[in-house]
Amino acid sequence: MGEGAVSAKGTRDKLSTTLCAQGLLKPEDLERAINLQKERGGSLSQVLIELGLVDSKTLTSVLSRTLRIPTISLSKMELDPELTKLIPRKLAFHYQIVPISRLGTQLTVAVYDPMNILAMDHLSQTTGLILTPMITTREEMQEGLRRLYGGVIVDTIEELKEKAVSAARIQVLTQEEQASHAEKVEDLVRLTQEVPVVKVTNAVLTQGVNLKSSDILVEPFEKKLRIRYRVDGVFREAEPLPVAMHTGIVSRIKVMSNLNIAEHRLPQDGRIKFGVGGRDVDFRVSVIPSYYGEKVCMRVLDKSQVMLEIGRLGFEKEPMEILKEAMRHPHGMVLVTGPTGSGKTTTLYSLLKLSDRPDRNLVTVEDPIEYDMPGVNQVAVRPDIGLTFAAALRSILRQDPNIIMVGEIRDGETADIAVKAALTGHLVHSTLHTNDAIGAVARLVNMGIEPYLVASSVLLVGAQRLPRKVCPACKETVHPPKELMERFELPANGAYRKGKGCPECRGTGLDGRIGLLECVPLIPPLRRMVAEGASSMKIRDEARANGFLSLRDHAVAKAAAGVIPLEEVARTTVGYQE
């Protein structure tokens, strides 16, 4: 142990000399870092990084040259889960070390502090193997540990196990047991206050916010409790929880949402306000009964992640200008269509913000109100007491609004009132669930609106999607196959790119999303065709003859510019024009 300490001190001195000799560190800063290290312990490398005196990549490079230890990039490696049997999770996180490969008695490991000789000695004794270190950056170390050993939910469960907090009272109830247990509300309340339930539930919500997910699913199955996060429109499965924790977690979510914790047979809806990182995040909660127990879906409404400036949504300039032009009309209807999760509501809020002026009266009807907008009168529908979209709209029209936003047109009655409002001097914008812009016309007719009324009231119909973008940190140029070029009519001179996968994008090769928008303003030729009841196909052909660009056209343009991968063109527009 004494020799290890001497060796570590010698290595530290050599590192310090090198950093100062290369002008990367001032002697007075070095002295400050060494004094802080003596006060609180830890490694000199960590103190230098935390004080901002040396960045992680520079320190890794200097350490590699000084100690003659090769560097390694964990983001480019497939990590073997079997190696976690050699170095347990607790020791890996404690010593900040990731096992990479084993060959006989040699175990190659990644470290970001190779001067911690005591850690290497301890792990060598624990595993009975000779450890060969390779140096990585602190950021890659953290990502490697998360990939190999799991994230915040596993951290929480491991912490609870360490503290020997018993979760014996958290148990799965059959439907019959739930029915009889409904009378024992006090037991359920006590259950939701137990440390394991509170900590794991908080960890599930926190991880959802940290991943920038739009939805969190809590799904019970026979042998596990599955947690999934929708990130950039695609679900990622997190570490499964013991199924025994299902009742406690769902009950805790119900308490936080002000729902009836004794009711297990009927669907319930609620809302949570939860603090994460010093800010409040809203969660829209839906609970439904399923075969193995209640399933929970939580929509994450994080204001810090919402872009309400329409210019920041990523739309091409041409459709965005068409949309803005429609919003300048004093009356009429603007419709935005697309499937669930395509960003329709965000676009409507952006349009509201664009139109908000002191001389205008803006009112919304929503189910529920997703984001609080200062200066806008927002009404939440309450079907349980008779306050439906249609009922709210009737009352709102008596208050002489300039602009009305209807969260969604779901039925013929709401559509009828919205159309009449658009014809009587109000600017109405809303959403419809259709696959494309032209389909909105047929949808309104199917709801019972006469074609001539649709032609007279609708100013513009749009459709949008949110494809995922190529990760800028690991993008590389690709050459599309000939059949793909022909199928999507791709330009031959496009700069097509794809992400390889790195810590920045968690190995997906994708990072964030961007908006695609097709807009069809009802110009006179199209109005005549709508009034005459022409088919969607004929209306589309006429729109194309007048310069209309579809979602597919915009997606291909984004792919050719290297913004989105070709896979996203297929995922967001296949079946759309075929």
Side-chain angles (χ1 to χ4, degrees):
M1 186 176 292
E3 290 178 5
V6 172
S7 177
K9 184 178 184 304
T11 302
R12 187 191 70 185
D13 293 343
K14 192 173 181 181
L15 172 66
S16 306
T17 302
T18 303
L19 288 170
C20 292
Q22 294 183 5
L24 300 171
L25 190 64
K26 295 178 180 178
E28 55 270 26
D29 289 335
L30 172 62
E31 186 177 352
R32 178 160 63 102
I34 291 175
N35 290 334
L36 183 59
Q37 181 200 14
K38 289 177 180 178
E39 283 179 23
R40 69 180 193 187
S43 70
L44 178 62
S45 302
Q46 185 174 346
V47 173
L48 289 171
I49 292 173
E50 289 178 359
L51 291 177
L53 299 175
V54 181
D55 66 79
S56 184
K57 288 185 178 179
T58 300
L59 187 60
T60 299
S61 178
V62 172
L63 277 170
S64 177
R65 293 196 303 270
T66 302
L67 304 179
R68 297 181 182 178
I69 298 175
T71 60
I72 188 169
S73 175
L74 294 180
S75 64
K76 298 176 181 178
M77 293 197 62
E78 287 290 332
L79 301 177
D80 185 1
E82 287 296 313
L83 295 177
T84 60
K85 297 175 182 177
L86 296 175
I87 300 181
R89 189 176 194 278
K90 180 180 176 182
L91 290 179
F93 274 82
H94 179 70
Y95 289 129
Q96 295 290 285
I97 191 165
V98 171
I100 297 173
S101 64
R102 177 184 178 179
L103 183 61
T105 59
Q106 298 281 337
L107 178 63
T108 302
V109 296
V111 298
Y112 91 86
D113 180 21
M115 294 188 294
N116 192 348
I117 297 173
L118 292 178
M120 299 291 286
D121 289 344
H122 181 200
L123 289 173
S124 183
Q125 292 174 8
T126 302
T127 61
L129 302 171
I130 301 170
L131 268 60
T132 302
M134 299 184 79
I135 305 177
T136 190
T137 64
R138 188 178 185 186
E139 293 76 17
E140 290 216 18
M141 172 59 64
Q142 297 302 321
E143 181 60 29
L145 287 170
R146 280 194 292 269
R147 280 170 53 204
L148 193 57
Y149 290 94
V152 64
I153 298 177
V154 170
D155 287 339
T156 305
I157 293 175
E158 291 294 324
E159 177 190 344
L160 295 172
K161 287 179 180 177
E162 281 182 26
K163 294 183 178 179
V165 178
S166 172
R169 292 182 60 244
I170 304 175
Q171 51 188 297
V172 179
L173 305 179
T174 65
Q175 291 183 351
E176 291 78 11
E177 289 171 330
Q178 285 177 351
S180 63
H181 201 72
E183 299 175 0
K184 301 179 182 179
V185 178
E186 293 163 356
D187 287 346
L188 281 175
V189 171
R190 280 196 296 271
L191 180 61
T192 65
Q193 296 170 348
E194 290 189 352
V195 174
V197 173
V198 173
K199 286 209 168 193
V200 174
T201 305
N202 289 350
V204 169
L205 298 180
T206 300
Q207 183 154 310
V209 174
N210 291 340
L211 289 173
K212 299 179 182 178
S213 60
S214 60
D215 299 272
I216 304 172
L217 297 185
V218 180
E219 303 167 298
F221 292 95
E222 185 179 7
K223 296 182 179 179
K224 70 175 181 179
L225 179 60
R226 184 168 71 176
I227 308 294
R228 290 194 292 165
Y229 300 97
R230 190 197 294 272
V231 181
D232 292 339
V234 177
F235 277 114
R236 294 183 187 176
E237 187 168 350
E239 308 84 11
L241 295 174
V243 72
M245 301 200 76
H246 169 255
T247 301
I249 290 173
V250 173
S251 296
R252 176 65 185 171
I253 291 171
K254 284 183 177 181
V255 167
M256 296 171 75
S257 311
N258 294 316
L259 300 179
N260 182 358
I261 62 174
E263 177 57 71
H264 306 282
R265 298 163 297 175
L266 297 174
Q268 297 188 69
D269 297 310
R271 201 174 183 114
I272 295 173
K273 188 180 287 290
F274 183 72
V276 179
R279 68 184 189 276
D280 286 336
V281 178
D282 288 332
F283 296 82
R284 196 174 74 199
V285 180
S286 172
V287 183
I288 61 171
S290 67
Y291 186 76
Y292 288 106
E294 291 173 293
K295 172 188 173 182
V296 180
C297 176
M298 293 177 280
R299 170 63 57 92
V300 184
L301 306 172
D302 187 355
K303 294 179 184 178
S304 68
Q305 300 299 326
V306 177
M307 297 183 295
L308 295 183
E309 297 289 345
I310 195 163
R312 298 177 59 202
L313 298 179
F315 298 143
E316 295 287 346
K317 184 178 179 180
E318 183 180 351
M320 189 168 67
E321 289 303 321
I322 294 173
L323 190 59
K324 286 181 178 179
E325 179 61 31
M327 291 301 296
R328 296 189 185 104
H329 284 71
H331 56 82
M333 181 181 287
V334 175
L335 296 172
V336 181
T337 71
T340 301
S342 60
K344 301 186 299 297
T345 303
T346 300
T347 299
L348 290 187
Y349 276 109
S350 300
L351 293 175
L352 271 184
K353 188 172 182 180
L354 185 69
S355 307
D356 187 17
R357 297 203 310 258
D359 61 338
R360 287 181 173 178
N361 181 10
L362 277 64
V363 185
T364 75
V365 187
E366 305 173 62
D367 182 22
I369 295 172
E370 294 198 5
Y371 299 103
D372 178 26
M373 289 198 71
V376 177
N377 303 285
Q378 296 174 270
V379 178
V381 302
R382 292 278 306 277
D384 54 324
I385 59 172
L387 185 60
T388 62
F389 275 110
L393 271 174
R394 287 194 190 93
S395 298
I396 286 170
L397 289 174
R398 301 189 191 107
Q399 300 203 352
D400 193 27
N402 299 103
I403 299 176
I404 304 170
M405 185 190 99
V406 183
E408 182 184 347
I409 295 178
R410 297 177 179 174
D411 52 60
E413 186 181 11
T414 305
D416 181 59
I417 298 172
V419 166
K420 288 176 180 175
L423 291 171
T424 55
H426 306 88
L427 182 60
V428 180
H429 55 261
S430 185
T431 68
L432 275 174
H433 280 279
T434 62
N435 290 329
D436 61 358
I438 302 296
V441 172
R443 179 82 174 117
L444 287 174
V445 173
N446 289 340
M447 286 181 171
I449 308 300
E450 293 292 339
Y452 74 90
L453 290 176
V454 176
S456 302
S457 60
V458 176
L459 295 169
L460 173 145
V461 286
Q464 69 180 70
R465 299 289 189 276
L466 292 175
R468 295 172 292 175
K469 296 188 293 183
V470 175
C471 174
C474 63
K475 63 183 178 183
E476 60 181 0
T477 301
V478 296
H479 303 286
K482 183 179 178 181
E483 58 271 18
L484 208 59
M485 297 284 289
E486 294 174 352
R487 179 184 177 190
F488 292 144
E489 299 179 358
L490 303 174
N493 59 347
Y496 303 101
R497 293 186 173 88
K498 183 178 181 179
K500 294 183 293 184
C502 66
E504 295 293 325
C505 60
R506 298 178 181 269
T508 64
L510 302 161
D511 184 27
R513 293 192 285 178
I514 193 167
L516 297 179
L517 176 69
E518 66 175 23
C519 282
V520 183
L522 261 65
I523 56 178
L526 297 182
R527 287 189 187 281
R528 284 195 296 270
M529 294 182 72
V530 171
E532 293 167 0
S535 68
S536 296
M537 188 66 70
K538 289 183 179 179
I539 296 173
R540 174 177 288 279
D541 290 341
E542 180 64 27
R544 275 201 168 279
N546 284 275
F548 163 68
L549 295 175
S550 69
L551 285 170
R552 170 65 60 77
D553 297 326
H554 292 300
V556 167
K558 295 286 189 188
V563 178
I564 66 174
L566 285 169
E567 289 83 357
E568 286 299 285
V569 176
R571 187 179 73 88
T572 56
T573 65
V574 153
Y576 174 75
Q577 283 181 281
E578 274 80 4

